Amino acid sequence: MTRLVADRERCIGSGMCALIAPEVFDQDEADGRVRLLDPSPRGGHAAVRDAVDACPARALDISD
């Protein structure tokens, strides 16, 4: 099972994760930082990995 962790302190609010995998990531309306909608997405789909790789602040971590 895929497990995601988001470091909100490290997040700079670029929104790349929410653009790439909106079913898993969102941005907090108050501060623009990442919000995990699904910390354990099924299937470990490519979009989630792409979102993690695209984060300019390296605020996302994925494990299988």
Side-chain angles (χ1 to χ4, degrees):
M1 174 188 299
T2 300
R3 183 84 182 142
L4 295 169
V5 176
D7 184 343
R8 288 183 42 85
E9 294 301 316
R10 191 170 193 161
C11 178
I12 61 171
S14 75
M16 293 303 297
C17 57
L19 288 172
I20 295 170
E23 67 282 355
V24 177
F25 303 100
D26 196 4
Q27 286 183 277
D28 190 299
E29 289 183 26
D31 62 12
R33 293 181 190 178
V34 65
R35 258 190 344 136
L36 280 178
L37 301 177
D38 185 359
S40 299
R42 297 186 189 272
H45 37 90
V48 173
R49 293 186 187 282
D50 289 346
V52 170
D53 290 341
C55 178
R58 300 289 177 234
L60 304 172
D61 189 40
I62 189 170
S63 63
D64 294 315

